[in-house]
Amino acid sequence: RPIGILISGRGSNMGALIAACAAADYPARIAIVISNNPDAPGLETARRAGLATKAIDHRTFGRDRAAHERVIDAALRDAGVEVVCLAGYMRLLTPFLTQAWAGRMLNIHPSLLPSFPGLHTHERALEAGVRLHGCTVHLVTEEMDEGPIIGQAAVPVLSGDTPDSLAARILMQEHLLYPAALRRVLMPETQAEATADALLCV
Ligand code: GRF
């Protein structure tokens, strides 16, 4: 099934989806990668992987978020996209795009939602003193970082962790979680995947 990926920066989660799509039995292929930031390093990664890319710079639309989104929406449809994956896409979406793709747009967020929606999740998790932290893939609804949860991965918070060390531990899980969650959305009939061990941290 053709998917579209929206990025704003590094694109490492996009990279994980590219790698997953390379497997013959994976149910998605990437029809287009779109960035609101023309300088996103992820665009170059996508081009090198031979993918169709588009930079649709939000700055050329001034304050008109909906106009920016209409162009994104048209590009996704032109590419035949059926499901959209937000992968480090750093723009808030208006109801136009969330409603147009309701039930067909996924996001990955670096926390165990509903804890720590928004930015700076790793700093906030350390400040809160949580012993487990992680990442979530969810369907996108109008409210930021809400919407039905498709999958989560948890990691321990270790003494001495910094926001960077925690981010790196979680990013490794993000790269496993996103392809698995997308597969689950595209093939709901397949068995849900889970690792056998629960994480217990005292
Ligand atoms: C990831 O931590 C993701 O969870 C968040 O933004 C970051 C994007 O990283 N939404 P990358 O661009 O995929 O490397």
Side-chain angles (χ1 to χ4, degrees), residues 9-14 87-88 108-110 171 174:
R10 176 178 60 179
S12 72
N13 278 288
M14 174 202 71
I108 186 156
H109 179 75
L171 194 64
E174 292 186 38

Side-chain angles (χ1 to χ4, degrees), residues 34 54 56 61 66-76 78 96:
I34 299 173
K54 243 189 181 125
I56 304 176
F61 296 85
H68 180 234
E69 290 185 356
R70 279 195 295 275
V71 177
I72 291 177
D73 184 60
L76 291 169
D78 284 351
F96 167 72

Side-chain angles (χ1 to χ4, degrees), residues 43-158:
L43 276 179
E44 186 52 35
T45 310
R47 278 188 214 111
R48 264 189 273 118
L51 298 173
T53 63
K54 243 189 181 125
I56 304 176
D57 190 343
H58 60 277
R59 289 168 301 192
T60 56
F61 296 85
R63 285 168 191 266
D64 194 347
R65 281 179 187 270
H68 180 234
E69 290 185 356
R70 279 195 295 275
V71 177
I72 291 177
D73 184 60
L76 291 169
R77 288 174 199 281
D78 284 351
V81 166
E82 292 179 17
V83 172
V84 178
C85 293
L86 306 182
Y89 185 68
M90 300 306 285
R91 301 287 296 168
L92 290 176
L93 301 181
T94 78
F96 167 72
L97 211 56
T98 57
Q99 283 168 14
W101 293 91
R104 300 186 299 145
M105 182 180 272
L106 283 64
N107 181 44
I108 186 156
H109 179 75
S111 79
L112 293 171
L113 291 172
S115 290
F116 312 119
L119 296 175
H120 310 300
T121 55
H122 308 309
E123 287 90 332
R124 287 156 59 209
L126 288 173
E127 274 165 27
V130 295
R131 302 301 321 279
L132 286 169
H133 188 35
C135 48
T136 302
V137 172
H138 63 97
L139 289 174
V140 174
T141 56
E142 283 186 31
E143 299 305 318
M144 182 191 65
D145 298 332
E146 287 195 10
I149 290 171
I150 296 160
Q152 295 184 302
V155 304
V157 178
L158 302 178

